Amino acid sequence: DSGVTQTPKHLITATGQRVTLRCSPRSGDLSVYWYQQSLDQGLQFLIQYYNGEERAKGNILERFSAQQFPDLHSELNLSSLELGDSALYFCASSPGGSSNQPQHFGDGTRLSIL
Amino acid sequence: QKEVEQDPGPLSVPEGAIVSLNCTYSNSAFQYFMWYRQYSRKGPELLMYTYSSGNKEDGRFTAQVDKSSKYISLFIRDSQPSDSATYLCASARTSYDKVIFGPGTSLSVIP
């Protein structure tokens, strides 16, 4: 058990809809990272938050947004969903702001767009 | 060209074999190198973490980085069925840069 909790585990929705994925980091970790994993693209970094502030941005679409709350949990919002957004979305956390500190991953949210 | 490349496999070996997993990367600015293991339906977990060139050993696992050839390797000695998973190599330029993952190599260790 990595200590990182992601909810929900599975999400099925339709094109054009909006969903929110939730992540609780390991106790004491200040950084949260979001990744998208698909068969054709592999594991792609989306965005990092550190202690409530955006720290780094990767290949995140404008339709996607994230935030980290004062209690350090984070949410990833995906809107105007398209078929191609179907993927596994992982959250990871680490103690500090360095992205190459060991990142502890949750078990992901599997998003299926019908 | 992707910044970090791996042969996707699948790689199948008998129990007890020495496994060699390899990655190449294109960005000469990468200084931090990692190997993650991902079991089916689970998130990746960090196996090895190295800075710059050289070897690092941890139990049955040895990570090797050759920056001159931009080559990263992970060796698994005395492989076990429990090592069956997908192995992701990853790299970063600086300690505050995003981590770039390879596509992963699927490994099966047959009892």
Side-chain angles (χ1 to χ4, degrees):
Chain A
D1 182 9
S2 67
V4 178
T5 303
Q6 288 188 250
T7 56
K9 291 191 186 307
H10 303 280
L11 204 47
I12 301 173
T13 189
T15 55
Q17 295 299 303
R18 172 188 169 95
V19 297
T20 297
L21 312 183
R22 196 179 191 279
C23 171
S24 294
R26 285 191 327 158
S27 177
D29 283 358
L30 299 179
S31 271
V32 170
Y33 311 80
W34 285 98
Y35 291 87
Q36 180 192 60
Q37 187 175 44
S38 60
L39 280 175
D40 56 341
Q41 293 291 324
L43 194 61
Q44 299 280 314
F45 169 71
L46 296 178
I47 197 163
Q48 176 197 359
Y49 277 82
Y50 173 70
N51 205 20
E53 300 288 326
E54 182 182 306
R55 175 60 69 100
K57 217 165 185 176
N59 304 321
I60 188 165
L61 299 172
E62 284 191 13
R63 301 183 285 109
F64 297 1
S65 65
Q67 54 184 327
Q68 185 179 29
F69 296 87
D71 68 352
L72 302 177
H73 92 271
S74 178
E75 291 180 356
L76 178 67
N77 299 295
L78 315 177
S79 61
S80 302
L81 287 168
E82 302 175 359
L83 292 176
D85 297 328
S86 294
L88 267 170
Y89 290 85
F90 286 105
C91 166
S93 71
S94 68
S98 297
S99 59
N100 56 40
Q101 285 185 326
Q103 295 182 26
H104 299 270
F105 283 76
D107 287 339
T109 293
R110 183 174 295 277
L111 177 63
S112 299
I113 313 298
L114 302 179
Chain B
Q1 182 192 13
K2 294 193 174 183
E3 290 189 89
V4 180
E5 302 265 20
Q6 286 181 263
D7 184 338
L11 181 62
S12 186
V13 301
E15 183 176 353
I18 296 175
V19 177
S20 172
L21 302 168
N22 305 301
C23 264
T24 58
Y25 63 93
S26 58
N27 192 337
S28 57
F30 284 151
Q31 298 188 81
Y32 297 87
F33 304 93
M34 293 140 271
W35 283 95
Y36 281 81
R37 176 175 63 196
Q38 185 174 18
Y39 290 114
S40 179
R41 303 185 185 280
K42 292 289 189 181
E45 57 176 321
L46 181 68
L47 273 180
M48 301 287 282
Y49 171 89
T50 55
Y51 171 73
S52 196
S53 282
N55 292 358
K56 185 172 183 179
E57 190 172 319
D58 184 1
R60 297 184 295 110
F61 299 90
T62 299
Q64 202 170 70
V65 177
D66 182 347
K67 291 189 73 180
S68 63
S69 59
K70 300 192 185 70
Y71 205 78
I72 314 164
S73 299
L74 178 71
F75 298 95
I76 307 174
R77 292 181 298 282
D78 187 26
S79 56
Q80 303 294 310
S82 59
D83 296 327
S84 299
T86 296
Y87 290 79
L88 306 165
C89 64
S91 304
R93 292 178 303 177
T94 70
S95 60
Y96 288 92
D97 197 15
K98 63 182 181 181
V99 177
I100 307 295
F101 284 83
T105 298
S106 175
L107 171 68
S108 291
V109 180
I110 311 301

